Amino acid sequence: MNESMIITLAVLIIASMLFISGKVRSDLVAVGALIALMLCDILTPAEALSGFSNSVVIMMVGLFVVGGGIFQTGLAKMVSSKMLQLAGTNETRLLVMIMIVTSAIGAFVSNTGTIAVMMPIVVSLAMSAGTNPGRLLMPLAFASSLGGMLTLIGTPPNLVIQETLQAAGYTAVSFFTFTPVGLVCIVVGVLSLLFLRRFLPKNERNADDDRQGRSLLDLVQQYQLRQNLYRVQVGADSSVCGKRLHELDISAKHGLNIIEVRRKISTKNQFFKTINQEIAGSHTVIEEEDILYIHGPFENVQAFALESGLEMMDRRIPENKKAAGSEQYATEDVGIAEVMLTPTSRLINRLIKESGFREKYHVNILGIQRKDHYLLHNLKEEKMRFGDAMLVQGTWRDIARLATEPDVVVVGQPNEEARKVTMDNKAPIAAGIMGLMVLLLISELIPAVAAVMIAAVLMVAFRCVRSMEDAYKTINWESVVLIGGMIPMSIAIEKTGAAALLSDGMVNLLGGQGPLILLAGVYFTTSMLTMFISNTACAILLAPIALAAALQLGVSPYPFLFAVSVGASMCFASPFSTPPNALVMSAGRYRFSHYIKVGLPLQIIMGIVMVAVLPLFFPF
């Protein structure tokens, strides 16, 4: 064992201990290990930095952007609601359904591509079901690897052993030769995780959520907006048609407040925006077919509608015919927020009608919370007091600008709340882009990394992600740096001869113990090595060794090569062993210990089962 090998193994052991302890950020540990190997001249600077140009890392960046588009357009919410209808909110049924669906997709799409499709859907599904996403995301990652064993193209190690068999003159495996093995893997994986899920994060409310202010839906309910917001439509013969709001003086005459005007701007393409929202101002001109959002008592609204020739609309059915919720008050353009006056505010003890909120800040005040009471009507004559919480509506941009004013404090984070509002009209575009990505991944017409990057660029170009800045914010850089920093570790392990030493020692030690013991040695050596080097590199390294060992014993090489393929693919005990494991780490808020507690037992169980069943499918 040479000096370079000893240093490499020492760095690997120290890094693993730090990963397990969780006391140091995982990305910092990965970069630290990288620097240590470079300073010890085990890796050249080019080799040390090669992980950040690796196609897997670039794919991860693109997949985060694609996932952001699927989220922001509401596509994830739509698909998850359908799945929720099928499985209900029962966690067991959700887990089983997610793993089966993911495994089926993983049979034809790379495990990274499968995660790109499913992760935003599963996060949305968990939120809708009131479940911690961490309860479902690790099973999702594992299922994408399990499904890869169903077909020849499901995972790269399958192709590696096919090439090894062909090169040695054996009959190549067919597309579905792997299917029986894959089905066993899925059954074992699902049943095992039903027991091992007890070690996954519990359904605890995140303390950070309490510091962000109340959600949009909470505000709607607290201020009773559903009971006080009504819609009327302007007809051609209406007396208000063509007039400005200040000419009508609706507030003084009827005790009402027109807070918003929605106007049709296009009906040609349902994929693009067809409704224009405008915060009502004194100079707003009312036009035919406008929909006016009026805040006030129902009786007053009804009287105003009769007097002006307006059509009352069913407030339970918005113009897009969907069920009412917070979406009536907050969309991609317009939102609501709670604000409070600062102790030195110049607005204290001033009447709302004199405050200039609408004229200066372009927002409407919908309600006031004063201690335990809510003031919702005739607000213009109310004086603002220190300690009042006021609900305002305006464009997200104006609300964010309001947060910079010294007289008021905006509760919560308007920009973050704006990102939570989905752009439902863009969902068909996001679905088309995702479908194109899946088609390119299946057909292999272009490299997988190119397919993902094309999808990411299209998400930004078609505004499925609101802006380039938002695209960058969807990327979890900790995961990217973690994988980019750990990929060169596999180069060091191979370069110093540590991997070859281990594999050769296995053959020398177990070769005389019989085919079953050697099969177990091949499987678990592959499984252990995959924790530190990529599954493809591991299969390439061990496939010829397994073939040679089988030939030395005079037995069929098929079970040994399948042991290499399965062992290289079924690695669950480390977050950086496969891209899916790393991709779900941040979203599931996992620590390294979660992978040890859940993934390691699953990896061992899978190994025991595979050693037992592979000779049944492929006799010695």
Side-chain angles (χ1 to χ4, degrees), residues 229-246:
L229 188 68
Y230 302 91
R231 298 169 308 126
V232 297
Q233 188 162 30
V234 181
D237 55 350
S238 172
S239 61
V240 301
C241 193
K243 293 184 178 179
R244 298 182 185 275
L245 285 183
H246 71 83

Side-chain angles (χ1 to χ4, degrees), residues 372-572:
D372 296 329
H373 302 288
Y374 289 88
L375 307 176
L376 304 172
H377 307 304
N378 302 318
L379 297 179
K380 286 194 173 185
E381 302 302 323
E382 286 291 336
K383 282 187 178 180
M384 292 178 286
R385 302 177 187 175
F386 176 65
D388 284 352
M390 294 176 288
L391 186 69
V392 301
Q393 183 189 44
T395 65
W396 289 113
R397 181 178 299 178
D398 286 330
I399 291 174
R401 188 167 60 86
L402 184 63
T404 65
E405 293 292 328
D407 291 323
V408 297
V409 174
V410 176
V411 182
Q413 300 179 13
N415 289 332
E416 292 301 318
E417 290 297 327
R419 291 190 188 100
K420 294 177 185 177
V421 180
T422 56
M423 302 176 288
D424 292 356
N425 58 303
K426 296 288 180 69
I429 301 176
I433 294 171
M434 187 175 70
L436 174 64
M437 182 186 74
V438 172
L439 184 64
L440 291 174
L441 288 169
I442 294 174
S443 64
E444 298 182 344
L445 294 173
I446 58 176
V449 64
V452 172
M453 294 310 295
I454 287 171
V457 170
L458 289 176
M459 284 288 186
V460 177
F462 283 95
R463 299 291 302 276
C464 294
V465 178
R466 289 182 174 86
S467 64
M468 201 64 195
E469 289 74 19
D470 268 358
Y472 285 123
K473 288 177 182 177
T474 63
I475 301 168
N476 183 273
W477 294 106
E478 181 179 353
S479 297
V480 171
V481 173
L482 170 64
I483 295 297
M486 289 307 297
I487 286 175
M489 179 68 76
S490 66
I491 299 175
I493 291 173
E494 291 183 65
K495 188 177 180 180
T496 58
L501 179 69
L502 180 62
S503 57
D504 290 342
M506 172 203 64
V507 175
N508 294 332
L509 180 65
L510 302 176
Q513 304 297 319
L516 189 64
I517 299 299
L518 181 59
L519 181 69
V522 168
Y523 185 96
F524 284 105
T525 300
T526 307
S527 182
M528 183 174 67
L529 272 180
T530 309
M531 293 174 63
F532 308 108
I533 63 177
S534 73
N535 59 0
T536 306
C538 189
I540 292 171
L541 177 68
L542 284 165
I545 295 172
L547 177 66
L551 294 178
Q552 286 180 17
L553 291 182
V555 296
S556 169
Y558 285 92
F560 293 90
L561 287 170
F562 269 83
V564 170
S565 180
V566 179
S569 302
M570 302 294 104
C571 189
F572 310 118

Side-chain angles (χ1 to χ4, degrees), residues 182-256:
L183 290 174
V184 172
C185 288
I186 293 169
V187 171
V188 172
V190 171
L191 293 178
S192 299
L193 282 170
L194 288 176
F195 291 97
L196 294 171
R197 61 179 170 168
R198 69 187 66 183
F199 300 112
L200 291 171
K202 299 295 186 292
N203 286 325
E204 298 173 354
R205 183 174 175 84
N206 181 22
D208 292 337
D209 294 338
D210 296 327
R211 295 193 290 268
Q212 300 298 319
R214 288 178 282 191
S215 71
L216 297 178
L217 190 56
D218 288 340
L219 292 174
V220 168
Q221 294 170 344
Q222 291 279 346
Y223 284 86
Q224 305 171 39
L225 289 189
R226 290 183 183 176
Q227 290 79 22
N228 293 281
L229 188 68
Y230 302 91
R231 298 169 308 126
V232 297
Q233 188 162 30
V234 181
D237 55 350
S238 172
S239 61
V240 301
C241 193
K243 293 184 178 179
R244 298 182 185 275
L245 285 183
H246 71 83
E247 298 174 26
L248 301 173
D249 199 14
I250 297 171
S251 178
K253 292 180 180 178
H254 299 279
L256 301 173

Side-chain angles (χ1 to χ4, degrees), residues 578-616:
T578 63
N581 290 3
L583 279 168
V584 300
M585 188 177 186
S586 60
R589 294 179 180 173
Y590 298 124
R591 297 186 299 274
F592 196 94
S593 59
H594 286 119
Y595 291 88
I596 296 295
K597 292 176 183 177
V598 180
L600 184 59
L602 177 59
Q603 197 164 324
I604 293 171
I605 292 169
M606 192 68 69
I608 294 171
V609 172
M610 284 296 107
V611 170
V613 302
L614 282 176
L616 301 179

